[in-house]
Amino acid sequence: MKLFEDFKIKFEKPDWSRNPEIGLIDSILKLHPHLIALLAEDITRGQKPTVFGRKDTPSVEQIVRAAIYKEIKGLDYRQLKYHQTDSRICALFIKIDELRAYSFQMYQNYISKITPDKLHRLMYELNKLAIETGIEDLKSIRQDSTVVETNIHHPTNNSLLWDCIKEAYRLLGHLKKEIDGLSYRDYTAQAKKTYYRINNTRGNKRKDLFANQLTLFIKTINQVSNVIKKNPNSSIKAMGFLMALESHLDVMQLVYDMAYIKEIKGEKVPNEEKIFSIYEKHTDIIVKGSRNVQFGHKVDLTSGRSNLVLNCNVLRGNPSDTNLFAPSLDSIIEGYGKVPRDCATDGGYASLANQEYAAKRGVINIVFNKIVGSLKNVSSSQNIETRLKKWRSGAEAIISNVKRGFNLARCTWKGWQNFMSKVLWSVIAYNIRVMTAHVVKLV
């Protein structure tokens, strides 16, 4: 019997030492319930309280804990569902009965409600706890930016035309199941052949092929328009597909104009007038220096001496780094109520205006890694300037840890709001790991 008792105890008492990040955040959430209350409004948005029916939905605390566990472990929602029954640590942390695990759809529905604004506040509140416990002193900050890609294929005019045609007939196919007698002409097979021929053709013949594809494209637009006009009154489900087709028509017109101007007329289209994906329409084109073009969004990160990310901004367009310096410094000072003594950034942030602004806010040592022209770094000594320059290079390691360690090189979450949420969740999970490393050293 002793053998069975020992075997049972091993499973009843999971080893938290192998999950120090989970153990630390569990202690933080127990001591500071206001962190959970911070996200409650978003999670319960749209719900009507009732005293009837079975209580089979997770609580706000369980949802917050599940979201944190998911990001720390780098899981998707289906893997999170599996961990509920496979891992005792997961079951204890999320506070669930492993015999009644919640579905991944349930978690996705509630976690996706949490807005980027609330996640930004959660990041700040966790960092304030780190400052109170002495992990971070906020004396020195360093700033750098990176690009997080959206989950799209490399955009070309040819691929965008083909994507539009595919999506149009996909929606029409769903609509046909809802409306009896719906008929339309399908040009998918012809468009697919032309798509591959364009990919394998060089020179002047490409223009003729693009002209043929654009003709099919116009015919597809006409098919979609006719279906929308002939079926104004339909079922609720069919109306949903019709609304999607109307929205898709606007995208198709934009893609047509892009392709016609570039491929037929031979003129350039400004980046601000382009669309780079019909699925992730918020995608921006980012060019940093002489490096390869990337499609996603620029993310500006500010970290402290503890390696915690103190501020994170997800940006639209491709703003210059010089324009990101002052807003980030303001966020640090206003968010934490303290002016940093030292500030070190990459050369892309260097400008006389930024230097003067930092000095006006009370920063003493203002060091840019590379300076041009007559601009000179402001520091109390040459030794401090050199040390700050070397310390600034650590920002690149932080970016690498966030992107590689928490699946942020390419964001698979759909939509602009969800893109921002994923970036902030990854930064929060990274900060928890950094805090854990500091606490373990002190234990």
Side-chain angles (χ1 to χ4, degrees), residues 148-150 297 314 411 415-423:
V148 176
E149 296 180 347
T150 48
H297 295 288
V314 186
C411 179
W416 167 237
Q417 293 293 319
N418 289 332
F419 184 97
M420 290 191 291
S421 295
K422 171 56 181 172
V423 171

Side-chain angles (χ1 to χ4, degrees), residues 185-216:
R185 181 78 177 270
D186 192 338
Y187 295 100
T188 305
Q190 294 169 262
K192 186 175 183 179
K193 291 179 181 178
T194 308
Y195 163 72
Y196 283 112
R197 289 180 65 189
I198 291 174
N199 277 345
N200 296 314
T201 303
R202 298 292 179 268
N204 296 329
K205 291 184 179 180
R206 278 175 60 89
K207 185 175 180 179
D208 296 334
L209 291 173
F210 264 107
N212 294 337
Q213 190 74 318
L214 288 171
T215 300
L216 295 174

Side-chain angles (χ1 to χ4, degrees), residues 28-55:
I28 290 174
L29 293 177
K30 287 179 180 178
L31 293 173
H32 303 278
H34 71 279
L35 297 175
I36 295 172
L38 189 66
L39 308 180
E41 183 181 353
D42 285 346
I43 294 172
T44 57
R45 184 174 63 250
Q47 282 185 308
K48 294 182 179 179
T50 177
V51 295
F52 302 102
R54 189 177 65 178
K55 307 300 181 183

Side-chain angles (χ1 to χ4, degrees), residues 27 47 81 115 148 156 180 332 362 394 434:
S27 301
Q47 282 185 308
K81 178 181 180 297
T115 60
V148 176
T156 63
D180 294 333
I332 294 292
V434 172

